[in-house]
Amino acid sequence: MRSRPYSRSVAAGVVAAALALLPATTATAAPAPVAAAADTCRGVSTVGLHCGYSTSNAFAQRGSKGAHVKEIQALINETTIWPKQTGKRLAVDGDFGPTTESAVSWFQWYYGSEALSDGMAGPKTWEMLRYGKR
């Protein structure tokens, strides 16, 4: 019994369907949405509130970069009234720039006191971010 050859359009459809089922490689895959981890901020018994970027409580100030900065940005976006009060969300990009510094300073003032409002994330700020009342 001879097999019947597929037409080009049928073969192209089969290939497209098969490729759709395969996992994308990092070279062609679209980047994951930035807010994906931030949408799942939750309490973790050993960490406090955690948004999925970092469990670190490393010191951060303007110029700092990294996952711990993303965690700060996500915590402010997801657990405070910053977005509602300012009408914008922090970019969760891991770059502690002037906007993140302003948001941290606001957070320290709003949820702590004016005396704490220095715009840097040290031990007291991390404690407020992870365990503070909102």
Side-chain angles (χ1 to χ4, degrees):
M1 181 153 79
R2 289 179 78 182
S3 64
R4 194 169 109 191
Y6 287 109
S7 69
R8 284 189 178 170
S9 62
V10 172
V14 170
V15 169
L19 288 176
L21 296 173
L22 293 173
T25 64
T26 55
T28 61
V34 172
D39 290 340
T40 61
C41 292
R42 59 184 167 66
V44 175
S45 64
T46 57
V47 178
L49 287 175
H50 175 56
C51 295
Y53 293 102
S54 174
T55 58
S56 169
N57 290 348
F59 179 81
Q61 64 183 9
R62 190 187 288 208
S64 297
K65 296 182 187 311
H68 67 300
V69 176
K70 285 183 180 182
E71 185 74 13
I72 292 166
Q73 293 163 333
L75 283 165
I76 289 174
N77 280 341
E78 300 301 321
T79 67
T80 74
I81 64 168
W82 167 264
K84 187 176 184 178
Q85 223 168 24
T86 62
K88 58 187 173 192
R89 297 171 60 81
L90 288 173
V92 182
D93 59 5
D95 184 5
F96 200 116
T99 307
T100 301
E101 183 179 47
S102 292
V104 169
S105 183
W106 168 87
F107 171 82
Q108 294 165 325
W109 168 81
Y110 192 85
Y111 293 101
S113 70
E114 191 173 340
L116 294 174
S117 184
D118 61 5
M120 297 182 277
K124 284 193 179 285
T125 301
W126 275 109
E127 183 177 347
M128 289 169 32
L129 283 165
R130 298 275 194 205
Y131 300 103
K133 295 179 185 172
R134 315 257 194 295

